[in-house]
mmCIF file of all heavy atoms in Angstrom:
data_model
loop_
_atom_site.group_PDB
_atom_site.id
_atom_site.type_symbol
_atom_site.label_atom_id
_atom_site.label_comp_id
_atom_site.label_asym_id
_atom_site.label_seq_id
_atom_site.Cartn_x
_atom_site.Cartn_y
_atom_site.Cartn_z
ATOM 1 N N ASN H 230 -4.269 20.705 15.342
ATOM 2 C CA ASN H 230 -4.435 19.257 15.365
ATOM 3 C C ASN H 230 -5.838 18.908 14.869
ATOM 4 O O ASN H 230 -6.828 19.351 15.449
ATOM 5 C CB ASN H 230 -4.229 18.735 16.788
ATOM 6 C CG ASN H 230 -4.178 17.226 16.842
ATOM 7 O OD1 ASN H 230 -3.788 16.587 15.870
ATOM 8 N ND2 ASN H 230 -4.542 16.650 17.966
ATOM 9 N N PRO H 231 -5.941 18.146 13.789
ATOM 10 C CA PRO H 231 -7.290 17.846 13.254
ATOM 11 C C PRO H 231 -8.061 16.941 14.195
ATOM 12 O O PRO H 231 -7.493 16.062 14.855
ATOM 13 C CB PRO H 231 -6.993 17.131 11.929
ATOM 14 C CG PRO H 231 -5.628 16.551 12.104
ATOM 15 C CD PRO H 231 -4.878 17.506 13.004
ATOM 16 N N ASP H 232 -9.353 17.186 14.266
ATOM 17 C CA ASP H 232 -10.204 16.322 15.086
ATOM 18 C C ASP H 232 -10.248 14.933 14.466
ATOM 19 O O ASP H 232 -10.225 14.773 13.240
ATOM 20 C CB ASP H 232 -11.633 16.884 15.156
ATOM 21 C CG ASP H 232 -11.676 18.218 15.896
ATOM 22 O OD1 ASP H 232 -10.811 18.429 16.764
ATOM 23 O OD2 ASP H 232 -12.569 19.022 15.588
ATOM 24 N N LYS H 233 -10.331 13.930 15.316
ATOM 25 C CA LYS H 233 -10.471 12.573 14.822
ATOM 26 C C LYS H 233 -11.829 12.425 14.152
ATOM 27 O O LYS H 233 -12.843 12.856 14.685
ATOM 28 C CB LYS H 233 -10.329 11.568 15.966
ATOM 29 C CG LYS H 233 -8.928 11.492 16.544
ATOM 30 C CD LYS H 233 -8.838 10.420 17.609
ATOM 31 C CE LYS H 233 -7.415 10.310 18.149
ATOM 32 N NZ LYS H 233 -7.312 9.265 19.212
ATOM 33 N N ARG H 234 -11.805 11.812 12.985
ATOM 34 C CA ARG H 234 -13.048 11.666 12.225
ATOM 35 C C ARG H 234 -13.497 10.217 12.204
ATOM 36 O O ARG H 234 -12.689 9.293 12.208
ATOM 37 C CB ARG H 234 -12.843 12.155 10.788
ATOM 38 C CG ARG H 234 -12.551 13.635 10.671
ATOM 39 C CD ARG H 234 -12.437 14.032 9.220
ATOM 40 N NE ARG H 234 -11.349 13.330 8.553
ATOM 41 C CZ ARG H 234 -11.147 13.369 7.241
ATOM 42 N NH1 ARG H 234 -11.966 14.038 6.461
ATOM 43 N NH2 ARG H 234 -10.132 12.714 6.711
ATOM 44 N N LEU H 235 -14.794 10.052 12.149
ATOM 45 C CA LEU H 235 -15.340 8.706 12.035
ATOM 46 C C LEU H 235 -14.920 8.095 10.698
ATOM 47 O O LEU H 235 -15.013 8.755 9.662
ATOM 48 C CB LEU H 235 -16.868 8.745 12.098
ATOM 49 C CG LEU H 235 -17.509 9.078 13.439
ATOM 50 C CD1 LEU H 235 -19.009 9.255 13.251
ATOM 51 C CD2 LEU H 235 -17.238 7.991 14.450
ATOM 52 N N PRO H 236 -14.432 6.870 10.700
ATOM 53 C CA PRO H 236 -14.102 6.225 9.420
ATOM 54 C C PRO H 236 -15.370 5.986 8.613
ATOM 55 O O PRO H 236 -16.382 5.519 9.138
ATOM 56 C CB PRO H 236 -13.450 4.909 9.855
ATOM 57 C CG PRO H 236 -13.980 4.650 11.229
ATOM 58 C CD PRO H 236 -14.176 5.996 11.854
ATOM 59 N N LYS H 237 -15.333 6.336 7.347
ATOM 60 C CA LYS H 237 -16.490 6.121 6.480
ATOM 61 C C LYS H 237 -16.394 4.719 5.891
ATOM 62 O O LYS H 237 -15.399 4.370 5.271
ATOM 63 C CB LYS H 237 -16.525 7.181 5.383
ATOM 64 C CG LYS H 237 -16.739 8.590 5.933
ATOM 65 C CD LYS H 237 -16.777 9.624 4.825
ATOM 66 C CE LYS H 237 -16.995 11.014 5.396
ATOM 67 N NZ LYS H 237 -17.013 12.055 4.340
ATOM 68 N N TYR H 238 -17.431 3.932 6.100
ATOM 69 C CA TYR H 238 -17.388 2.540 5.713
ATOM 70 C C TYR H 238 -18.629 2.163 4.919
ATOM 71 O O TYR H 238 -19.630 2.886 4.888
ATOM 72 C CB TYR H 238 -17.294 1.649 6.957
ATOM 73 C CG TYR H 238 -18.446 1.821 7.922
ATOM 74 C CD1 TYR H 238 -19.589 1.043 7.828
ATOM 75 C CD2 TYR H 238 -18.406 2.792 8.927
ATOM 76 C CE1 TYR H 238 -20.649 1.204 8.694
ATOM 77 C CE2 TYR H 238 -19.468 2.975 9.803
ATOM 78 C CZ TYR H 238 -20.579 2.175 9.691
ATOM 79 O OH TYR H 238 -21.638 2.353 10.545
ATOM 80 N N LEU H 239 -18.545 1.010 4.258
ATOM 81 C CA LEU H 239 -19.675 0.470 3.519
ATOM 82 C C LEU H 239 -20.279 -0.699 4.281
ATOM 83 O O LEU H 239 -19.552 -1.528 4.829
ATOM 84 C CB LEU H 239 -19.222 -0.014 2.141
ATOM 85 C CG LEU H 239 -18.732 1.056 1.166
ATOM 86 C CD1 LEU H 239 -18.136 0.402 -0.070
ATOM 87 C CD2 LEU H 239 -19.863 2.003 0.781
ATOM 88 N N THR H 240 -21.586 -0.774 4.316
ATOM 89 C CA THR H 240 -22.257 -1.939 4.883
ATOM 90 C C THR H 240 -22.383 -3.003 3.792
ATOM 91 O O THR H 240 -22.218 -2.716 2.596
ATOM 92 C CB THR H 240 -23.656 -1.585 5.396
ATOM 93 O OG1 THR H 240 -24.485 -1.226 4.277
ATOM 94 C CG2 THR H 240 -23.591 -0.414 6.378
ATOM 95 N N SER H 241 -22.695 -4.212 4.189
ATOM 96 C CA SER H 241 -22.861 -5.286 3.199
ATOM 97 C C SER H 241 -24.002 -4.978 2.235
ATOM 98 O O SER H 241 -23.970 -5.382 1.066
ATOM 99 C CB SER H 241 -23.100 -6.623 3.902
ATOM 100 O OG SER H 241 -24.320 -6.601 4.623
ATOM 101 N N TYR H 242 -25.003 -4.237 2.690
ATOM 102 C CA TYR H 242 -26.143 -3.894 1.846
ATOM 103 C C TYR H 242 -25.721 -2.889 0.766
ATOM 104 O O TYR H 242 -26.172 -2.965 -0.379
ATOM 105 C CB TYR H 242 -27.275 -3.336 2.703
ATOM 106 C CG TYR H 242 -27.682 -4.314 3.782
ATOM 107 C CD1 TYR H 242 -27.130 -4.238 5.062
ATOM 108 C CD2 TYR H 242 -28.566 -5.355 3.506
ATOM 109 C CE1 TYR H 242 -27.467 -5.168 6.043
ATOM 110 C CE2 TYR H 242 -28.917 -6.274 4.478
ATOM 111 C CZ TYR H 242 -28.352 -6.180 5.750
ATOM 112 O OH TYR H 242 -28.678 -7.109 6.708
ATOM 113 N N GLU H 243 -24.836 -1.955 1.128
ATOM 114 C CA GLU H 243 -24.315 -1.010 0.145
ATOM 115 C C GLU H 243 -23.394 -1.716 -0.842
ATOM 116 O O GLU H 243 -23.365 -1.386 -2.030
ATOM 117 C CB GLU H 243 -23.569 0.115 0.860
ATOM 118 C CG GLU H 243 -24.471 1.041 1.645
ATOM 119 C CD GLU H 243 -23.706 2.042 2.487
ATOM 120 O OE1 GLU H 243 -22.715 1.647 3.140
ATOM 121 O OE2 GLU H 243 -24.098 3.229 2.503
ATOM 122 N N VAL H 244 -22.645 -2.698 -0.349
ATOM 123 C CA VAL H 244 -21.762 -3.471 -1.222
ATOM 124 C C VAL H 244 -22.574 -4.226 -2.269
ATOM 125 O O VAL H 244 -22.232 -4.241 -3.453
ATOM 126 C CB VAL H 244 -20.890 -4.446 -0.393
ATOM 127 C CG1 VAL H 244 -20.137 -5.403 -1.309
ATOM 128 C CG2 VAL H 244 -19.909 -3.675 0.480
ATOM 129 N N VAL H 245 -23.665 -4.847 -1.844
ATOM 130 C CA VAL H 245 -24.538 -5.559 -2.780
ATOM 131 C C VAL H 245 -25.064 -4.599 -3.842
ATOM 132 O O VAL H 245 -25.046 -4.911 -5.049
ATOM 133 C CB VAL H 245 -25.714 -6.223 -2.026
ATOM 134 C CG1 VAL H 245 -26.802 -6.668 -3.009
ATOM 135 C CG2 VAL H 245 -25.217 -7.408 -1.212
ATOM 136 N N ASN H 246 -25.519 -3.438 -3.438
ATOM 137 C CA ASN H 246 -26.065 -2.453 -4.366
ATOM 138 C C ASN H 246 -25.025 -2.032 -5.397
ATOM 139 O O ASN H 246 -25.334 -1.881 -6.586
ATOM 140 C CB ASN H 246 -26.556 -1.228 -3.589
ATOM 141 C CG ASN H 246 -27.187 -0.187 -4.498
ATOM 142 O OD1 ASN H 246 -28.106 -0.481 -5.256
ATOM 143 N ND2 ASN H 246 -26.682 1.039 -4.423
ATOM 144 N N PHE H 247 -23.786 -1.870 -4.952
ATOM 145 C CA PHE H 247 -22.718 -1.451 -5.860
ATOM 146 C C PHE H 247 -22.334 -2.576 -6.808
ATOM 147 O O PHE H 247 -22.207 -2.378 -8.018
ATOM 148 C CB PHE H 247 -21.495 -1.015 -5.048
ATOM 149 C CG PHE H 247 -20.352 -0.529 -5.901
ATOM 150 C CD1 PHE H 247 -20.324 0.767 -6.365
ATOM 151 C CD2 PHE H 247 -19.298 -1.375 -6.245
ATOM 152 C CE1 PHE H 247 -19.278 1.229 -7.159
ATOM 153 C CE2 PHE H 247 -18.260 -0.943 -7.023
ATOM 154 C CZ PHE H 247 -18.242 0.372 -7.485
ATOM 155 N N ILE H 248 -22.135 -3.776 -6.271
ATOM 156 C CA ILE H 248 -21.682 -4.898 -7.089
ATOM 157 C C ILE H 248 -22.673 -5.216 -8.198
ATOM 158 O O ILE H 248 -22.288 -5.579 -9.310
ATOM 159 C CB ILE H 248 -21.424 -6.138 -6.203
ATOM 160 C CG1 ILE H 248 -20.217 -5.901 -5.295
ATOM 161 C CG2 ILE H 248 -21.189 -7.378 -7.057
ATOM 162 C CD1 ILE H 248 -19.908 -7.059 -4.361
ATOM 163 N N LYS H 249 -23.955 -5.077 -7.925
ATOM 164 C CA LYS H 249 -24.970 -5.357 -8.945
ATOM 165 C C LYS H 249 -24.813 -4.462 -10.169
ATOM 166 O O LYS H 249 -25.353 -4.758 -11.234
ATOM 167 C CB LYS H 249 -26.370 -5.173 -8.349
ATOM 168 C CG LYS H 249 -26.816 -6.306 -7.449
ATOM 169 C CD LYS H 249 -28.230 -6.061 -6.934
ATOM 170 C CE LYS H 249 -28.736 -7.238 -6.111
ATOM 171 N NZ LYS H 249 -30.107 -6.991 -5.591
ATOM 172 N N ASN H 250 -24.089 -3.373 -10.026
ATOM 173 C CA ASN H 250 -23.895 -2.428 -11.123
ATOM 174 C C ASN H 250 -22.670 -2.762 -11.973
ATOM 175 O O ASN H 250 -22.369 -2.049 -12.925
ATOM 176 C CB ASN H 250 -23.753 -1.012 -10.542
ATOM 177 C CG ASN H 250 -23.859 0.072 -11.578
ATOM 178 O OD1 ASN H 250 -24.748 0.055 -12.429
ATOM 179 N ND2 ASN H 250 -22.938 1.023 -11.527
ATOM 180 N N LEU H 251 -21.959 -3.848 -11.648
ATOM 181 C CA LEU H 251 -20.748 -4.220 -12.378
ATOM 182 C C LEU H 251 -21.083 -5.167 -13.520
ATOM 183 O O LEU H 251 -22.038 -5.933 -13.459
ATOM 184 C CB LEU H 251 -19.732 -4.854 -11.429
ATOM 185 C CG LEU H 251 -19.251 -3.932 -10.301
ATOM 186 C CD1 LEU H 251 -18.304 -4.665 -9.360
ATOM 187 C CD2 LEU H 251 -18.569 -2.683 -10.869
ATOM 188 N N TYR H 252 -20.255 -5.141 -14.563
ATOM 189 C CA TYR H 252 -20.585 -5.795 -15.821
ATOM 190 C C TYR H 252 -20.347 -7.302 -15.871
ATOM 191 O O TYR H 252 -20.984 -7.998 -16.653
ATOM 192 C CB TYR H 252 -19.773 -5.153 -16.948
ATOM 193 C CG TYR H 252 -20.210 -3.763 -17.328
ATOM 194 C CD1 TYR H 252 -19.268 -2.775 -17.608
ATOM 195 C CD2 TYR H 252 -21.556 -3.436 -17.417
ATOM 196 C CE1 TYR H 252 -19.656 -1.498 -17.975
ATOM 197 C CE2 TYR H 252 -21.955 -2.165 -17.779
ATOM 198 C CZ TYR H 252 -21.008 -1.192 -18.059
ATOM 199 O OH TYR H 252 -21.394 0.063 -18.410
ATOM 200 N N SER H 253 -19.376 -7.811 -15.116
ATOM 201 C CA SER H 253 -19.028 -9.222 -15.247
ATOM 202 C C SER H 253 -18.827 -9.865 -13.890
ATOM 203 O O SER H 253 -18.611 -9.182 -12.878
ATOM 204 C CB SER H 253 -17.750 -9.373 -16.073
ATOM 205 O OG SER H 253 -16.626 -8.920 -15.325
ATOM 206 N N GLU H 254 -18.862 -11.190 -13.852
ATOM 207 C CA GLU H 254 -18.652 -11.913 -12.601
ATOM 208 C C GLU H 254 -17.222 -11.721 -12.097
ATOM 209 O O GLU H 254 -16.989 -11.696 -10.894
ATOM 210 C CB GLU H 254 -18.955 -13.402 -12.790
ATOM 211 C CG GLU H 254 -18.605 -14.275 -11.597
ATOM 212 C CD GLU H 254 -19.307 -13.869 -10.308
ATOM 213 O OE1 GLU H 254 -20.281 -13.079 -10.346
ATOM 214 O OE2 GLU H 254 -18.874 -14.350 -9.244
ATOM 215 N N SER H 255 -16.268 -11.570 -12.985
ATOM 216 C CA SER H 255 -14.883 -11.333 -12.559
ATOM 217 C C SER H 255 -14.786 -10.046 -11.750
ATOM 218 O O SER H 255 -14.162 -9.993 -10.693
ATOM 219 C CB SER H 255 -13.960 -11.257 -13.774
ATOM 220 O OG SER H 255 -12.616 -11.052 -13.367
ATOM 221 N N GLN H 256 -15.433 -8.984 -12.250
ATOM 222 C CA GLN H 256 -15.452 -7.712 -11.532
ATOM 223 C C GLN H 256 -16.194 -7.851 -10.204
ATOM 224 O O GLN H 256 -15.732 -7.368 -9.165
ATOM 225 C CB GLN H 256 -16.128 -6.636 -12.388
ATOM 226 C CG GLN H 256 -15.385 -6.280 -13.660
ATOM 227 C CD GLN H 256 -16.163 -5.301 -14.515
ATOM 228 O OE1 GLN H 256 -17.363 -5.072 -14.316
ATOM 229 N NE2 GLN H 256 -15.488 -4.715 -15.499
#
Side-chain angles (χ1 to χ4, degrees):
N230 189 28
D232 294 332
K233 291 184 178 179
R234 295 183 299 171
L235 289 172
K237 295 180 180 179
Y238 59 91
L239 294 172
T240 66
S241 64
Y242 303 94
E243 290 173 316
V244 171
V245 166
N246 182 54
F247 182 83
I248 292 179
K249 284 182 176 179
N250 193 46
L251 298 177
Y252 288 139
S253 71
E254 173 58 14
S255 181
Q256 295 175 346

